[in-house]
Amino acid sequence: ALNTSIAFFVLGLGLVVNNISHDIAERKHDAETLRKTHDELELRITERTTELAKTNEALQTEIIERSHAEEALKKSEERFRSIVEGNFDAIHVLDPEGRFTYSSPSVERITGYKPDDIIGKYFKYFIAETDIPKAEQAFYGMMSGKTMEMVALEATKKDGTPFIIEANGSPVFKDGKIMDIQVVYRDITEKRTIEEQLRHSQKMDAVGQLASGIAHDFNNILTAIIGYGTLLLRKNPDDNLVNEYTSEIITSANRAAALTRDLLTFSRKHTINPQPALLNELIKMVERILARVLGEHIEFKVKIADENLVVKMDATQLEHVFLNLATNARDAMPEGGKLTIDICHVNLDNEFIDAHNYGIQGQYALITFTDTGIGMDKNTQSRVFEPFFTTKEVGKGTGLGLSMVYGAVKQHNGYINVYSEPGHGTVFKIYLPLSEEGVLGENKEPEIAAPKGNMETILLAEDDPDTRKIIKAVLEEYNYKVIEAVDGNDAISKFMEKKGEVKLLILDTIMPKIGGKQAYEGIKKIDPNIKAIFISGYTADMIKAKDLLETGFELLPKPIMPDKLLVKIRGLIDLKEGLMK
Ligand SMILES: Nc1ncnc2c1ncn2[C@@H]1O[C@H](COP(=O)(O)OP(=O)(O)O)[C@@H](O)[C@H]1O
Ligand SMILES: [Mg+2]
C-alpha cells in the first residue's frame, strides 16, 4: 500500500514537475513578447515625444507670433479709436439699413445725444423734417457705392435747438459688399451765421453806395428846384395863385430832400454833428411829438433811465430815428396797442459779443422799443434795414425809415437788433456807446428870416454848373456880389486876384483837382481870418466834427436851402466884421 502510495506520489510529482516545466516555458515566451512590445512602445513613445516637442515648438512660435500680431492689432485699434474718439467732428457708423451702430464722443458734444440715445435709431432721427429727403438721397447714394460730399442739413439737438451740420460720408466694403456706412459731420451754424452777416453787410454797403450816388445827384437837382422856387416866390409877391403853386413845388421838393437825406444817412454819408448830450433829455423832448404820431388809440409809455446817460449824438438825427420807429409801431398797430420806450445802461461784455458775433466791449445806453403790433416773419426781419424794402402799400411806405435808422445808429458807433414774431409784436434794441465827455450847452440855430446882404463879395466854388448857377442867382437876389470858381485850384487863384475884396468863401467839399477843404487851407495861408461855408452831402467823410468845433467854419448839406444858406452867410460875415473891429 505504501509502495502504491509512493508510486502515486512519484507519479503525481512527475506530473506536477512536468506541468511546471511546461508553464515556465510558456511564461518565458510571454515575457519575451512583452519585452518586445514594450520596446516597440518605447520606441514609438520616443518618436511621438520628439514629434510633440516639435509641434510644441511650432505652436510656441505661433503663439508668440500671434501675440505680436494681436498687440499690433490692439495698438492699431487704439490708434484709430483715439483718432475717431478724439476727433472734433462727429463720427457715426450706420448699418446698411441706416441704423446707427457707432456714435463717437463728439456726437454728444455737438448734438447732446449720448451713444445710448442714438444707437439703433435710424439716421433721420435728428434731421429736420424739411431736410429728410436730402438726407435720404445722400444715404441711398452711399448705399449705391458713392461717397457723399459736404451735404448741409438742418438738424435738431437733443435740447431742441436747431443747428446746421455739414456732413460727408462713404460706404465701407467687405468682400465686395457694403458692410457699413461711415458719416462724419460738424456743426456749421456759427459759420453760417457769420457768412450770412458778412453777405448782409456787403449787400448793405453795395446798396449804400448806390443810394448815396443817387442822393448826391438828386440833391443837386433839388437845390435847383428849391432855389428857383424861392426866387420865384420873391419875384411874385402879389400873385397869390403863382405863390401858392410855387409853395407847393417847394414843399414837395423839401419832402424829396428828406428822402435823399434818409438815403445819405443810410449810407452814412450824411453830415452829422455829434455832441455829448443827455439821452433822457432828448427823449423827453421828442416824447410829445411821438405821442402825436402814435395817436390816441395807442398806449404810449416811456421809461427813462434812472441815471444820466451821456451819448455823443446828433440830436436831430436821433429824433428822426425815434420818429421812424414810432411811425412803424403805429403802422403795425392799426387796431391799437401799446408802445413802450425803455432806456437803460448796459455793459456789453464778451457774452453779448459771442451771442451776436459783433460788438465792442464797453458801456452803452440801451434804447428798447417794444410794440404789441402785427410783428414780422423771419424773412421780413432779415430785410427790414434794406433801403426801399417795405411791406406797405404803394404810397404808404417808402422802405427808407429803418434804413435811415440803421445808418444813423452805425454813424453813432452803435448797434441795432430786431426781435419779432408774427402776431406777437416787435422789439427794436438800439445800443449807443456812452461818452465820457461832459454835456455841452444848447446848440440850436434860431429860426430867422433870410437876411439880405450889403453887396459883400462871396467867392463861390462849385463844380456842378447848375448848382453854381442857382446859388449865384440866390446870392445876387439877396444883395451879394459873386465870384465863381469851378474847382479848388480856380478858387485859390480867383481869391489871389480879388484879394481883400472877398468876404466869404462858399466851397463844395468834393471838386475835381482839389476839394473844398484843401482850397480853404490854401486860402487861409493868404488870409488867416477868412471864413467859409462848406456845402455837400459828402462832408462826413471829409471833415470831422472835431475840425468843426476847432475852426468854426460852417457845414451845409445839400440840397441847399436858400434861407439856411443866407442865415449862415450873414452869421459868418458879421462874425468876421466883429473880429476885425
Ligand atoms: N414795428 C414793426 N412791426 C412790424 N413790422 C415792422 C415794424 N417796423 C418795421 N416793420 C417792417 O419793416 C418794413 C420796413 O420799414 P421801414 O424801413 O420803416 O419802411 P416803411 O415803413 O416805409 O415800410 C415795413 O414795411 C414793415 O414790414
Ligand atoms: Mg417806416
Side-chain angles (χ1 to χ4, degrees):
L2 184 68
N3 279 349
T4 327
S5 304
I6 291 170
F8 270 118
F9 175 75
V10 171
L11 187 70
L13 200 68
L15 272 175
V16 169
V17 168
N18 195 18
N19 264 348
I20 288 174
S21 67
H22 188 83
D23 250 23
I24 288 172
E26 223 166 66
R27 282 199 188 173
K28 253 192 187 163
H29 179 79
D30 281 355
E32 196 78 358
T33 323
L34 206 74
R35 198 178 314 117
K36 257 193 195 155
T37 319
H38 180 261
D39 286 352
E40 259 169 41
L41 224 97
E42 195 99 302
L43 193 76
R44 244 191 274 158
I45 285 172
T46 323
E47 272 173 16
R48 283 306 298 267
T49 312
T50 334
E51 246 170 61
L52 265 171
K54 269 191 196 150
T55 319
N56 198 16
E57 211 167 292
L59 257 168
Q60 213 58 262
T61 333
E62 202 179 319
I63 286 171
I64 292 170
E65 272 170 8
R66 278 208 184 180
S67 85
H68 279 324
E70 239 164 57
E71 199 137 308
L73 197 70
K74 212 170 123 202
K75 263 199 190 140
S76 143
E77 142 112 29
E78 266 166 17
R79 182 161 61 230
F80 286 110
R81 179 170 290 275
S82 87
I83 290 173
V84 168
E85 306 214 318
N87 203 302
F88 190 75
D89 291 341
I91 299 172
H92 274 309
V93 179
L94 305 174
D95 66 17
E97 264 76 58
R99 280 178 299 233
F100 294 111
T101 55
Y102 172 77
S103 187
S104 75
S106 272
V107 172
E108 190 183 343
R109 186 180 50 77
I110 294 173
T111 68
Y113 288 115
K114 289 187 170 51
D116 279 354
D117 297 330
I118 210 161
I119 283 175
K121 299 266 185 348
Y122 284 95
F123 66 89
K124 304 168 216 177
Y125 189 59
F126 62 99
I127 302 295
E129 195 89 43
T130 46
D131 272 356
I132 285 182
K134 211 161 134 193
E136 279 176 342
Q137 199 189 353
F139 179 76
Y140 295 122
M142 287 187 282
M143 281 308 293
S144 72
K146 283 187 243 129
T147 52
M148 159 175 84
E149 275 166 23
M150 292 306 171
V151 175
L153 295 165
E154 278 180 39
T156 316
K157 296 188 185 189
K158 193 178 178 183
D159 66 4
T161 334
F163 71 120
I164 303 166
I165 60 173
E166 189 175 64
N168 55 67
S170 54
V172 183
F173 291 92
K174 197 185 175 200
D175 304 329
K177 269 172 63 186
I178 292 174
M179 189 176 62
D180 282 324
I181 299 284
Q182 288 176 347
V183 179
V184 179
Y185 61 87
R186 57 179 60 176
D187 183 349
I188 57 157
T189 317
E190 192 177 315
K191 190 175 140 212
R192 275 289 167 93
T193 317
I194 294 169
E195 280 171 359
E196 199 59 45
Q197 279 176 355
L198 185 68
R199 241 195 317 277
H200 190 248
S201 77
Q202 280 170 341
K203 182 170 157 193
M204 295 294 252
D205 281 353
V207 183
Q209 288 281 335
L210 189 74
S212 70
I214 295 171
H216 188 72
D217 288 345
F218 256 79
N219 276 338
N220 283 336
I221 296 167
L222 290 170
T223 300
I225 297 175
I226 295 167
Y228 288 116
T230 310
L231 293 181
L232 200 58
L233 271 183
R234 266 178 71 79
K235 287 289 170 197
N236 271 293
D238 303 322
D239 191 331
N240 282 334
L241 202 59
V242 170
N243 282 354
E244 195 191 316
Y245 293 168
T246 312
S247 297
E248 288 296 328
I249 291 173
I250 295 174
T251 310
S252 297
N254 278 327
R255 285 226 307 276
L259 289 185
T260 55
R261 203 158 45 234
D262 285 350
L263 275 177
L264 286 172
T265 303
F266 167 70
S267 45
R268 279 160 267 161
K269 291 275 171 74
H270 183 66
T271 320
I272 67 162
N273 182 15
Q275 308 278 353
L278 292 170
L279 199 54
N280 282 347
E281 295 300 315
L282 180 79
I283 290 284
K284 276 193 245 161
M285 253 166 46
V286 291
E287 200 178 337
R288 288 228 320 281
I289 306 168
L290 297 185
R292 211 170 324 129
V293 166
L294 291 166
E296 308 234 299
H297 62 304
I298 291 169
E299 194 189 331
F300 179 42
K301 270 224 174 85
V302 176
K303 282 187 257 170
I304 55 171
D306 48 17
E307 56 186 304
N308 279 332
L309 303 177
V310 179
V311 170
K312 215 167 159 202
M313 61 170 129
D314 182 309
T316 320
Q317 207 178 54
L318 283 191
E319 279 170 22
H320 201 151
V321 164
F322 296 150
L323 203 63
N324 280 337
L325 290 172
T327 311
N328 283 342
R330 179 201 63 199
D331 293 347
M333 299 185 281
E335 311 287 310
K338 187 173 171 186
L339 173 69
T340 319
I341 303 177
D342 187 278
I343 298 178
C344 64
H345 177 181
V346 290
N347 176 20
L348 279 204
D349 51 12
N350 278 328
E351 211 173 298
F352 176 94
I353 295 162
D354 284 349
H356 292 83
N357 286 313
Y358 61 71
I360 296 172
Q361 279 191 11
Q363 305 300 314
Y364 288 73
L366 167 61
I367 308 159
T368 312
F369 272 68
T370 310
D371 71 48
T372 58
I374 52 171
M376 327 169 210
D377 59 24
K378 282 270 169 296
N379 177 47
T380 303
Q381 273 179 65
S382 68
R383 301 192 58 191
V384 283
F385 299 121
E386 284 174 26
F388 308 114
F389 174 81
T390 179
T391 58
K392 295 172 192 171
E393 286 168 45
V394 179
K396 281 229 167 129
T398 57
L400 286 179
L402 288 179
S403 328
M404 179 274 158
V405 169
Y406 177 87
V409 170
K410 287 270 143 148
Q411 221 166 6
H412 283 80
N413 301 315
Y415 310 104
I416 180 163
N417 293 325
V418 55
Y419 307 90
S420 186
E421 249 176 73
H424 287 95
T426 300
V427 179
F428 281 97
K429 284 183 183 236
I430 296 174
Y431 297 83
L432 298 176
L434 292 181
S435 167
E436 309 263 280
E437 291 172 53
V439 176
L440 295 177
E442 280 279 307
N443 201 20
K444 285 245 160 178
E445 296 162 19
E447 296 271 334
I448 338 163
K452 288 189 87 165
N454 300 311
M455 291 310 283
E456 292 96 341
T457 304
I458 295 173
L459 176 64
L460 167 67
E462 159 69 63
D463 59 316
D464 182 77
D466 291 338
T467 309
R468 197 169 63 234
K469 198 168 143 200
I470 176 59
I471 296 175
K472 181 169 182 264
V474 168
L475 295 178
E476 284 174 351
E477 184 62 36
Y478 281 82
N479 228 17
Y480 293 100
K481 259 170 76 184
V482 178
I483 300 169
E484 292 177 76
V486 296
D487 58 47
N489 283 338
D490 194 24
I492 297 176
S493 52
K494 292 271 165 62
F495 185 84
M496 300 280 273
E497 277 169 34
K498 310 273 169 144
K499 219 177 4 188
E501 196 188 319
V502 177
K503 288 277 190 298
L504 182 77
L505 309 169
I506 297 177
L507 306 168
D508 189 10
T509 35
I510 296 178
M511 289 185 289
K513 293 175 193 161
I514 65 168
K517 181 85 191 295
Q518 269 175 289
Y520 175 62
E521 261 142 28
I523 293 171
K524 257 189 114 166
K525 288 199 187 110
I526 309 161
D527 178 358
N529 280 324
I530 195 75
K531 296 277 176 254
I533 294 172
F534 290 97
I535 51 176
S536 171
Y538 278 180
T539 36
D541 297 336
M542 316 292 297
I543 297 161
K544 302 277 171 287
K546 204 172 101 243
D547 290 342
L548 200 69
L549 291 177
E550 280 168 7
T551 52
F553 54 68
E554 294 276 1
L555 281 173
L556 202 60
K558 282 183 185 174
I560 305 301
M561 307 288 174
D563 288 1
K564 283 204 173 140
L565 176 66
L566 292 164
V567 170
K568 286 207 195 293
I569 290 174
R570 214 49 254 165
L572 283 180
I573 290 179
D574 292 346
L575 178 72
K576 197 186 169 199
E577 309 275 72
L579 287 175
M580 307 280 268
K581 272 174 205 161

